[in-house]
Amino acid sequence: MIPLIFDNAALANYCQRIAASTLLAVDTEFIRQSTLLPKLGLIQLFDGEHLALVDPLTITDWQPLIDVFANENMVKMLHSCHEDIEAFATIGITDITPLFDSQLAAHLLGWGSSVGFASLVERITNKVVDKSETRTDWLARPLADKQLTYAANDVLFLYPLYQTLKQELNSEQSALLLQEGQQLMQRKHQKLPFEFKYLEIKNSWLLTSRELAVLRELVRWRAEYAQQKDLALGLVFKDAQLFELAKRRPSTLESLMNIPDMPHRELRRHGKMVIELIERAKALPADACPQRFHHQEHFIGYKQEVAAVSAAVKKAATEQGISAEFLSVKRQLNEYINWCWRVSDQQRSTLPVPEYLKGWRRQVLLPYLPVPEHIAV
């Protein structure tokens, strides 16, 4: 039987035992079916000698683990860590450094952009990872021995991958990987304010200024409501549904209910609020509505700007010897375009700087990026 760490004293003792370790394999188990934030069900830790399965439902003092994760002399190794980072943030762990993501390491080595954990283990060790407990309810108690064994194996298999990946990576790739780990952590601290969340809606650039005003109100309300209720955004309204509401701008509950593919249960619950938000946006003066684009005298067009930036990224990737998919994903490209053209100069000063212009990406991309004349970088 694999024991669980249930109390603060046991967690503190474990953290003290591993304080001098140089590598810690880390994984989490969580539930995220209907909530905005992941619900931690288990934390797995292994430093090559000491295994710990930590029960986050009973621990109240996370400071010892916070200190371990912030220890710059101990590499924290995770696989595909995006959601793990979010899960750790729910218990106050917001600094994980140095962070070594084995999936990103495989990407840098040219083994694929999203290599799964089981595939990576099999490639390096020829061992097969049991994934039979993937659908376990990790918030249920007690956890069965087979569930604890399954969870423990994630870090027991993860730990020995480090040396192989380190040997395969050259010095430049190793440095880049750790820098990207820092960027992943910083990303979680730099959220787009609710009033600008509409910029993230697919194809929102196609809407008129008035339609954007409606979309802005709806998206902001959804974000606030989802945060208040801890609900997944799509369970309130999906992006495509908000986009359709912004285009149609219904003025009555009847017309609202007649829009195809709208969730009737949510319309019954929120219909009155949706109509109020739409009417509020309709009543705004024109200069209070979002513009589609700013500095249009220098704007060559949305698709043309996207094509120009995409070409710049590909050229930088080729000449710098970095995978284009590692250097940039679509979210980052859209973030740059929005920051350059879809907000005013005053608004831009209040928003997070795009990832293209921060950290290692800035050094790689800035000589290639088309930077608009109205932006000082």
Side-chain angles (χ1 to χ4, degrees):
M1 180 177 180
I2 301 176
L4 274 171
I5 290 180
F6 284 104
D7 60 80
N8 296 336
L11 177 61
N13 288 338
Y14 175 81
C15 292
Q16 187 174 12
R17 285 201 307 274
I18 68 169
S21 301
T22 57
L23 174 65
L24 182 67
V26 179
D27 193 27
T28 65
E29 306 294 348
F30 54 85
I31 300 294
R32 194 179 194 173
Q33 295 176 339
S34 61
T35 59
L36 182 65
L37 300 174
K39 300 299 182 185
L40 260 176
L42 199 66
I43 300 171
Q44 303 100 284
L45 308 166
F46 181 55
D47 73 337
E49 182 178 356
H50 306 99
L51 171 69
L53 301 183
V54 182
D55 186 350
L57 305 187
T58 56
I59 302 294
T60 58
D61 181 8
W62 291 105
Q63 192 58 51
L65 193 57
I66 290 173
D67 293 340
V68 164
F69 279 14
N71 180 354
E72 295 184 356
N73 297 315
M74 183 193 303
V75 173
K76 271 64 66 174
M77 183 180 183
L78 299 94
H79 184 86
S80 187
C81 66
H82 296 274
E83 288 193 290
D84 297 297
I85 290 174
E86 287 188 272
F88 279 124
T90 65
I91 57 172
I93 296 178
T94 57
D95 184 14
I96 305 176
T97 184
L99 193 161
F100 184 106
D101 188 310
S102 54
Q103 185 179 73
L104 292 179
H107 190 176
L108 277 173
L109 291 169
W111 296 356
S113 60
S114 55
V115 178
F117 176 63
S119 298
L120 188 60
V121 169
E122 187 169 0
R123 177 181 183 130
I124 292 178
T125 69
N126 291 321
K127 294 180 179 179
V128 177
V129 177
D130 175 22
K131 303 303 290 183
S132 62
E133 298 298 324
T134 302
R135 298 187 180 277
T136 286
D137 180 358
W138 294 104
L139 299 179
R141 294 296 184 269
L143 292 171
D145 286 350
K146 65 177 182 178
Q147 294 169 325
L148 296 177
T149 299
Y150 165 89
N153 280 339
D154 281 345
V155 287
L156 294 175
F157 281 125
L158 180 62
Y159 186 89
L161 303 186
Y162 180 76
Q163 290 303 328
T164 299
L165 291 170
K166 277 287 290 180
Q167 289 170 6
E168 293 286 339
L169 293 166
N170 61 39
S171 58
E172 290 81 7
Q173 289 172 325
S174 293
L176 189 61
L177 181 65
L178 295 182
Q179 289 179 66
E180 180 63 0
Q182 293 177 343
Q183 184 58 47
L184 291 174
M185 295 306 305
Q186 293 173 8
R187 180 184 303 162
K188 301 304 178 184
H189 299 297
Q190 297 182 351
K191 301 292 186 181
L192 197 64
F194 286 169
E195 66 178 301
F196 294 103
K197 284 286 186 181
Y198 74 94
L199 295 171
E200 298 178 334
I201 302 299
K202 183 179 179 180
N203 290 330
S204 60
W205 64 274
L206 291 169
L207 299 178
T208 67
S209 182
R210 183 63 62 183
E211 290 167 347
L212 284 173
V214 175
L215 185 66
R216 180 178 61 187
E217 295 297 321
L218 292 171
V219 172
R220 175 166 50 190
W221 166 78
R222 182 184 65 167
E224 292 171 347
Y225 182 84
Q227 185 178 74
Q228 178 187 0
K229 301 294 185 180
D230 192 18
L231 278 173
L233 294 175
L235 291 182
V236 185
F237 284 102
K238 292 180 171 56
D239 287 1
Q241 292 165 347
L242 296 185
F243 183 88
E244 191 67 17
L245 288 170
K247 287 191 69 175
R248 293 182 179 239
R249 289 168 285 165
S251 57
T252 66
L253 286 173
E254 182 181 5
S255 58
L256 181 62
M257 298 292 284
N258 286 333
I259 298 177
D261 300 323
M262 286 291 164
H264 281 202
R265 186 180 67 175
E266 298 308 317
L267 290 180
R268 287 192 292 270
R269 181 178 300 168
H270 303 301
K272 184 178 179 181
M273 174 58 70
V274 167
I275 294 299
E276 289 179 3
L277 292 167
I278 292 172
E279 292 304 309
R280 183 188 306 171
K282 288 180 179 178
L284 288 173
D287 60 2
C289 295
Q291 291 187 38
R292 293 182 66 196
F293 303 102
H294 294 261
H295 295 278
Q296 295 202 41
E297 65 276 15
H298 303 297
F299 186 63
I300 61 176
Y302 181 82
K303 291 184 177 180
Q304 293 86 341
E305 292 289 353
V306 169
V309 174
S310 298
V313 169
K314 290 179 181 178
K315 184 176 181 181
T318 300
E319 295 188 3
Q320 298 296 321
I322 303 172
S323 163
E325 292 79 11
F326 187 91
L327 180 57
S328 170
V329 296
K330 190 172 183 179
R331 174 190 57 78
Q332 293 166 326
L333 187 150
N334 288 336
E335 176 190 54
Y336 181 72
I337 294 290
N338 290 342
W339 189 79
C340 288
W341 297 107
R342 298 189 62 197
V343 295
S344 68
D345 295 339
Q346 182 179 0
Q347 291 170 334
R348 186 180 306 108
S349 66
T350 69
L351 299 182
V353 175
E355 289 184 38
Y356 278 4
L357 300 177
K358 291 190 298 189
W360 68 269
R361 280 188 178 81
R362 177 186 176 92
Q363 293 179 307
V364 172
L365 284 174
L366 194 54
Y368 301 88
L369 277 178
V371 180
E373 295 180 4
H374 58 276
I375 294 178
V377 295

